Each structure stands twice: as structure tokens, then as C-alpha cells.
Amino acid sequence: MRLRHKPWANDFITEHSQYAISNPEQYKGRWHEVFGNHNPIHIEVGTGKGQFLAGMSQQHPDINYIGIELFDSIIVAAIQKAVDLQLSNLKLLNVNAKDLTDYFDQNEVQRVYLNFSDPWPKARHTKRRLTYKEFLSLYEKILIKGGEIHFKTDNQGLFEYSLISFSEYGLRLKFICLDLHQSDFEGNIMTEYEEKFSGKGQRIYRVEAKYMNEDR
Amino acid sequence: MRLRHKPWANDFITEHSQYAISNPEQYKGRWHEVFGNHNPIHIEVGTGKGQFLAGMSQQHPDINYIGIELFDSIIVAAIQKAVDLQLSNLKLLNVNAKDLTDYFDQNEVQRVYLNFSDPWPKARHTKRRLTYKEFLSLYEKILIKGGEIHFKTDNQGLFEYSLISFSEYGLRLKFICLDLHQSDFEGNIMTEYEEKFSGKGQRIYRVEAKYMNEDR
């Protein structure tokens, strides 16, 4: 994604504190207070311009969604969508995913979405991939037992890597689709990127993986 | 594969007992005697016309290969290859894969190959797929601890199913390729079927999965 500096982004974020949560560390363990209910919380790591979470928020009003996005110049588009659609079950955090445990407590999140994450194709950048074991460990620290990661990408190499990484970490694969848009999967909400690239005939890969840390 | 009745097949098999082993149950636990060495044993379940195993036998003279094929009218082509190439490290069994434990003892096999297995696409035929859990249990009974299944197919549905089935069984995925012929994987030996269909631009999927029953 091209990053364009937007000098007004920071002010825009501050002005929309209903959707863009400032100082989110103060809500660690208390996100149900922010939403005013005890519905499950699903987060998306790398929310980008927010089309996926805006769509999911509308499709599933009984789920609370929180989008994490590092770049302020990008998250403003997601905030604008939440404002325009008045999505009470969507919040956005302009923070770094590696600090997730500063913002969420153990068992506070039910599901993590990863959509079209940066593939970091060079071997020396493996650790930056959001499906690298250190990230899987981070997600585990904030997810409920038996929590899930739902991941889609058009990048074959990242998908292959991620399946192996999930398996090595001990996650159980429970759903795999190797050509999402030619499948009978229902309820798919496309990201901006997905719309653009699947239109060109690019395959979309999707997997659901589950942490096997449940009490037995 | 089209099955053509070959009335001479049975005689042909009997005449080539050096390669086509009759009454293989007598060698259960003693296959090293048949080969005259203690090299690792790799089997292929559903060997078909034998191009894969004939190629592997030549490429890896230090491995003993055993091909399992139910249909006598098909296995004759594999036997012919072994005869023509005088492959001392290849044997062929005209038996049913569901009886594998009649022919192999615990820890006798190091690896199972499955190549372009029948996809049995209908849900009611799931149990017939060679990656169904009952087959995974069967392979486990004859494999060494930490033994592996190496599987390739052009069938997207069977591949998706198999990844889930492996994962649910507790196998660890250690290698995945979603487009084998466009990858840098080395030493691939093509089956007859693979040659035909990959020539038409069909993707070939490949996975290596490992049993996690090793002593720790």
C-alpha cells in the first residue's frame, strides 16, 4: 500500500475519539465497558482502510470488532467509514501489533483476523510476518482458550509459510480454501486489496486455525 | 484411470515373482530379507503403472521401494518397468491398501507416498479417500515413529480435505507447495497422470506430513 503523508491525520484521529480510541492501554481487560456489552471481541491485525471490518460490523452486529493499524495515514480511511456508517460495534486503534498485550488482557479476544498481511518475502524478514511464531504466541496471550485465527491472502508463498507455521506452533487447521472466490464459502467480506486483485483473476487463499490449549 | 480387463494379467504377475511378490503376508516383519539389506523402506499406496516408483528406485538406490496396487490390470505395467530396468530395490504388491497391516509390521516402513489418489469427491465416499483418518491410523501402525506421508495431487478439493485431515489427526505439516511445477522443489519424479495433467497447465499440490509420536 502506498503511504502518503497526511499532516491532518493525527488531528482527524483525535477528533473521532468515539471510533479511534486514544490511549487504549487504559481499556486493557475492560473493552466490554467501551462497547457497553459483553459480546465477543474479534480483532483484525493490519486493518488498512477498514473495508473488511466495516462490512463485518454490519453483517455481525452481535460481535464487537477492533481494528489495529500502525499507519495513521491509512487508518483515517477506516475511521471515516465507521463515522459515516455509525458503527457502534467497531473501534480502531492506531498502534503497533507487537504491543497487543499492552491493550488486551488474557482471554479478552475471541478471534484474530489477518487479511492480506505484508508477505515479507525475503527470508531475513521472516520474523516480521504476522504469522511468524512470535506473533502466534502474542495472539495466544490475548485470545480465549481454543481461540482462532482467520487468515486470507493472495500471496502463495505467505500462505504456504503460514500453514507450516500454524502447524509447527501446534494450531489445528479447521478450514482451508485454496480458491476462495470459486468456492461456496458464504459471507466473505472483501478488503479493498482483495477486490482489486481478485478482479484480475488472482486466487485468494483462506485458512481458519484453532489454538489447541483448551482444557480437556 | 480406465480399467481394461487383461485376462493374462494374473499369469504375468505369477511369472515375475522376483518383482511382484506373491503371498506378501509371509514377509511381514522380514522385508529386509527380501531386499537383502537393511535400507529404509518407502511404500507407495496406489502405485498405478509405476512410473513414480521406477523413477524413485533409480534416483535413490539406497532406499527400498514397495508399490501397492489393487488392480492387476494396472500393476502389470509397473512390473514390466521393474523387469525392463532390473530394479533390485523395487517390489510390487497386488493387494488392497486396507490390509496393509497384514503385510507390514510396526516400525517396518519409513515413509508412505500417496500420488494422485482417487479424490472420491462425494461426501458419502469420504471414508474411501486414502487420507481419511482410518487410513492415517493404518499407516501409523506400520510406520516408524516420526514417519512421514508425502502426498501430491492435482485435485484441489482432495488437497484441502487432506490438509485438514492430517491436522485433525495430529500430524505436523512440514512442507507445503501449492504449485509444484512452478516451484524450486528438486528431484520431483512425475507420475504418468502428473505428466499428462500438468502439461495442460493444471496445478500440482504437494505436502509432507509427519507423525508426532516420537519419544521426547
Side-chain angles (χ1 to χ4, degrees):
Chain A
M1 201 175 316
R2 192 167 46 147
L3 284 179
R4 197 177 310 197
H5 181 57
K6 294 178 181 161
W8 48 271
N10 209 30
D11 287 346
F12 183 89
I13 291 170
T14 311
E15 283 159 19
H16 294 92
S17 60
Q18 187 185 347
Y19 298 106
I21 307 298
S22 308
N23 306 317
E25 56 276 10
Q26 68 185 303
Y27 298 114
K28 178 174 176 172
R30 304 192 294 120
W31 283 97
H32 63 277
E33 295 176 20
V34 176
F35 289 103
N37 61 49
H38 283 82
N39 289 342
I41 292 173
H42 294 184
I43 70 171
E44 184 186 23
V45 180
T47 282
K49 296 182 182 172
Q51 180 166 298
F52 177 77
L53 274 203
M56 292 296 278
S57 300
Q58 293 174 288
Q59 195 179 79
H60 304 284
D62 52 343
I63 306 286
N64 295 323
Y65 293 95
I66 300 176
I68 316 290
E69 174 55 51
L70 180 60
F71 297 109
D72 59 1
S73 61
I74 294 174
I75 202 171
V76 289
I79 297 165
Q80 187 65 58
K81 288 186 181 74
V83 171
D84 291 346
L85 298 164
Q86 300 187 45
L87 298 169
S88 62
N89 60 332
L90 174 59
K91 304 296 176 194
L92 297 153
L93 311 188
N94 182 209
V95 298
N96 193 324
K98 70 181 171 52
D99 303 322
L100 276 176
T101 51
D102 291 345
Y103 312 119
F104 298 100
D105 213 345
Q106 282 186 327
N107 302 311
E108 193 160 19
V109 176
Q110 311 253 343
R111 187 178 294 173
V112 170
Y113 284 101
L114 303 173
N115 292 314
F116 301 91
S117 311
D118 193 324
W120 293 108
K122 290 179 182 164
R124 71 172 185 273
H125 291 149
T126 303
K127 291 183 175 184
R128 300 187 188 178
R129 297 175 193 155
L130 288 178
T131 52
Y132 181 64
K133 62 183 177 187
E134 280 181 22
F135 281 104
L136 301 184
S137 167
L138 201 56
Y139 308 146
E140 187 172 17
K141 289 189 174 80
I142 63 170
L143 279 165
I144 57 165
K145 291 184 179 191
E148 297 183 0
I149 299 172
H150 291 202
F151 170 52
K152 59 182 173 178
T153 179
D154 65 326
N155 189 288
Q156 182 189 325
L158 180 64
F159 197 70
E160 292 166 342
Y161 167 82
S162 301
L163 292 178
I164 300 293
S165 182
F166 291 160
S167 184
E168 283 182 350
Y169 195 82
L171 288 163
R172 188 67 44 93
L173 308 180
K174 47 171 286 215
F175 173 92
I176 292 179
C177 185
L178 299 175
D179 196 355
L180 184 62
H181 293 192
Q182 301 299 318
S183 76
D184 52 7
F185 181 76
E186 291 179 1
N188 185 48
I189 302 282
M190 285 205 269
T191 73
E192 286 89 346
Y193 181 93
E194 185 175 1
E195 256 178 12
K196 186 171 165 188
F197 283 88
S198 71
K200 295 182 181 174
Q202 190 87 339
R203 277 192 193 210
I204 307 299
Y205 305 99
R206 186 174 183 282
V207 58
E208 298 176 7
K210 186 182 177 76
Y211 285 88
M212 298 308 291
N213 50 5
E214 285 173 297
D215 301 322
R216 290 161 190 265
Chain B
M1 202 174 318
R2 191 163 53 144
L3 283 179
R4 197 179 310 198
H5 181 57
K6 295 178 179 159
W8 49 270
N10 209 30
D11 288 346
F12 182 89
I13 291 169
T14 311
E15 283 160 18
H16 294 93
S17 60
Q18 188 186 347
Y19 298 105
I21 308 298
S22 309
N23 307 315
E25 55 276 14
Q26 67 185 304
Y27 299 113
K28 179 175 176 172
R30 304 193 294 122
W31 283 99
H32 62 276
E33 296 176 20
V34 176
F35 288 103
N37 61 52
H38 282 82
N39 289 343
I41 293 173
H42 294 185
I43 70 171
E44 184 187 21
V45 180
T47 283
K49 296 180 181 171
Q51 180 166 299
F52 177 78
L53 274 202
M56 292 296 277
S57 301
Q58 295 174 288
Q59 195 179 79
H60 304 283
D62 52 344
I63 305 285
N64 295 322
Y65 292 94
I66 300 176
I68 317 289
E69 175 55 50
L70 179 60
F71 297 109
D72 60 1
S73 61
I74 294 172
I75 202 172
V76 289
I79 298 166
Q80 189 65 59
K81 287 185 181 77
V83 172
D84 291 347
L85 299 164
Q86 299 188 47
L87 298 168
S88 62
N89 60 332
L90 174 58
K91 306 295 177 193
L92 297 152
L93 311 187
N94 181 210
V95 298
N96 193 324
K98 68 181 172 54
D99 303 322
L100 277 176
T101 51
D102 291 347
Y103 313 121
F104 298 100
D105 213 345
Q106 284 185 325
N107 303 312
E108 193 160 19
V109 176
Q110 312 252 345
R111 187 179 295 173
V112 171
Y113 283 102
L114 302 173
N115 292 313
F116 301 91
S117 310
D118 193 326
W120 294 107
K122 290 178 181 165
R124 71 173 186 274
H125 290 149
T126 303
K127 291 184 176 185
R128 299 187 189 179
R129 296 175 194 156
L130 288 179
T131 52
Y132 180 65
K133 63 183 176 187
E134 281 182 21
F135 281 104
L136 301 185
S137 166
L138 202 57
Y139 307 146
E140 187 172 18
K141 289 188 174 80
I142 64 172
L143 278 166
I144 57 165
K145 291 184 181 188
E148 297 183 1
I149 299 173
H150 291 200
F151 170 52
K152 60 182 174 178
T153 180
D154 65 325
N155 189 286
Q156 183 190 327
L158 180 64
F159 197 69
E160 291 166 343
Y161 167 82
S162 301
L163 292 179
I164 299 293
S165 182
F166 291 160
S167 184
E168 283 183 347
Y169 194 84
L171 288 163
R172 190 66 44 93
L173 309 180
K174 48 169 284 210
F175 173 91
I176 292 180
C177 184
L178 299 175
D179 196 354
L180 183 61
H181 293 191
Q182 301 301 319
S183 77
D184 52 6
F185 181 76
E186 291 181 0
N188 185 47
I189 301 283
M190 286 205 267
T191 74
E192 287 88 345
Y193 181 95
E194 184 175 0
E195 255 177 15
K196 187 171 165 188
F197 284 87
S198 72
K200 295 180 181 174
Q202 191 87 342
R203 275 191 195 212
I204 307 300
Y205 305 100
R206 186 173 184 281
V207 58
E208 298 177 8
K210 185 182 179 73
Y211 285 88
M212 298 307 291
N213 50 4
E214 286 173 296
D215 301 320
R216 289 162 193 262

